[in-house]
Amino acid sequence: MLILIAAVFFLISMSFALDRRQEHATALFRSISPDTNIHFSADYCMECHEGALNNIGKSALRFASDYQRLCDCHNYSNENYIHPVDIVPSDEKKENIPSFMPLRKGSISCGTCHDLYIQCGENIESQLSNKRFLRGGPYQKRTDICFHCHDEEKYKKLNPHTQLDENGEIIAARCLYCHAGVPDQSIAGFQDVQLIGDLTMVCQRCHRKIVKHPADADHHVVPSYKIRGKMKYTESQFGIVLPLDYEGMIFCATCHNPHEKGVIPAARLGSKGAGAEAKHRLPDKICMACH
């Protein structure tokens, strides 16, 4: 009899505990914000799951497993996606997709690349080594997962600073990465060439944006009268050019020569620094150019 009473009390206490957990989960659902990280935490299961685990240890997903709604916190849109979803890959692509990257109803979904169950619960090891819970991870580089399906050779990063072919001839297409036309390097000066768009942004398309560079200072400014005088003196003293942008501001190419060595004839001032480390126009003493 005592055992039966104890069992009843146990079941009642378990029921209250489950009710409290459900209330806790419901409260979390109501109070969650777009900045809340629900991953790798058992507190937020009900954000994605509908209820109890099934016989294989998994629970049904909310929104009929619609990943765009489940992953709505990531503000998916055509402007910011890493990879489009809800598309049916071509037969050629399907042949490359490995079996551990499942399609959903024949289409690519968030779950094709992300194994959502890796981050269910407080899995510290995976959170540190595979924080985006990528299938087949962890990976050394973010793009490594892409080449399970895509041909890596077709996605080699273009280096616009490689501007000469094996015969030493200028590769015109590389000039057009920054220039509106191919300049005549034998006679053209900086004011004679037309570049595409904002000159700083031309560089930041590949190089990450560093606001305070170098020496933790913002150099994208119009130089003072005193600094401009020092720059003119440096140009004359060392036989170099320190060009300003079209608005008279210091920009990336003021200090760095973006051309490959040999593109601009060696006798011209604009050629200096092209082969130097970091392409500094005044190697080893670039700060002295202005200061």
Side-chain angles (χ1 to χ4, degrees):
M1 187 67 177
L2 290 174
I3 294 175
L4 179 60
I5 293 172
V8 170
F9 274 109
F10 175 76
L11 290 174
I12 291 173
S13 65
M14 286 295 292
S15 176
F16 278 122
L18 289 173
D19 287 343
R20 285 196 300 272
R21 184 175 178 84
Q22 180 66 40
E23 290 172 3
H24 179 56
T26 303
L28 285 170
F29 176 71
R30 286 197 302 266
S31 62
I32 191 172
S33 77
D35 297 324
T36 303
N37 182 3
I38 68 172
H39 302 298
F40 294 103
S41 172
D43 289 335
Y44 300 101
C45 299
M46 303 308 289
E47 288 298 316
C48 297
H49 295 277
E50 286 190 332
L53 299 177
N54 59 24
N55 60 357
I56 59 171
K58 294 184 179 180
S59 169
L61 292 171
R62 300 174 65 221
F63 309 121
S65 300
D66 182 341
Y67 284 111
Q68 285 206 43
R69 295 186 68 187
L70 287 165
C71 304
D72 188 55
C73 294
H74 299 285
N75 298 313
Y76 169 86
S77 73
N78 289 333
E79 288 76 33
N80 65 13
Y81 61 65
I82 288 294
H83 194 289
V85 296
D86 292 336
I87 61 170
V88 178
S90 66
D91 292 337
E92 180 184 358
K93 278 288 186 294
K94 281 184 180 178
E95 292 181 1
N96 296 328
I97 298 175
S99 59
F100 64 84
M101 301 182 74
L103 300 176
R104 180 175 181 270
K105 297 180 181 180
S107 298
I108 292 170
S109 73
C110 302
T112 301
C113 296
H114 299 274
D115 187 347
L116 305 185
Y117 291 100
I118 290 178
Q119 53 81 46
C120 288
E122 297 173 0
N123 189 333
I124 301 300
E125 181 180 350
S126 291
Q127 187 174 6
L128 293 174
S129 64
N130 190 7
K131 64 181 180 180
R132 293 184 176 88
F133 37 97
L134 296 172
R135 295 187 185 274
Y139 296 96
Q140 288 189 336
K141 294 185 298 184
R142 188 181 186 187
T143 54
D144 285 347
I145 189 175
C146 305
F147 303 122
H148 285 306
C149 306
H150 298 275
D151 183 354
E152 187 173 4
E153 288 299 315
K154 295 179 180 179
Y155 291 87
K156 292 287 188 183
K157 186 176 179 180
L158 170 70
N159 182 357
H161 300 293
T162 302
Q163 298 155 352
L164 299 174
D165 63 19
E166 60 274 11
N167 297 317
E169 298 295 327
I170 292 176
I171 304 171
R174 300 292 166 84
C175 300
L176 299 177
Y177 191 83
C178 299
H179 293 276
V182 181
D184 182 349
Q185 298 297 344
S186 64
I187 59 173
F190 176 73
Q191 297 300 326
D192 303 317
V193 300
Q194 183 179 355
L195 288 97
I196 297 174
D198 179 91
L199 299 182
T200 298
M201 286 305 300
V202 166
C203 300
Q204 289 178 354
R205 284 185 294 185
C206 294
H207 300 279
R208 69 186 182 91
K209 184 176 181 179
I210 305 176
V211 177
K212 293 186 176 182
H213 170 81
D216 198 34
D218 183 6
H219 281 75
H220 190 224
V221 297
V222 175
S224 67
Y225 179 80
K226 180 179 179 180
I227 293 293
R228 189 68 184 117
K230 179 66 163 71
M231 292 171 70
K232 287 290 186 183
Y233 175 76
T234 299
E235 289 178 316
S236 174
Q237 181 183 15
F238 293 99
I240 62 173
V241 291
L242 296 168
L244 301 175
D245 72 10
Y246 298 131
E247 296 179 356
M249 300 180 74
I250 294 170
F251 72 115
C252 305
T254 302
C255 301
H256 303 274
N257 192 333
H259 300 97
E260 183 178 1
K261 185 178 182 179
V263 170
I264 299 176
R268 305 203 66 212
L269 305 184
S271 70
K272 304 301 188 292
E277 184 177 359
K279 293 183 171 290
H280 284 155
R281 293 187 184 273
L282 189 62
D284 300 323
K285 35 183 138 174
I286 189 62
C287 297
M288 294 175 57
C290 303
H291 302 284

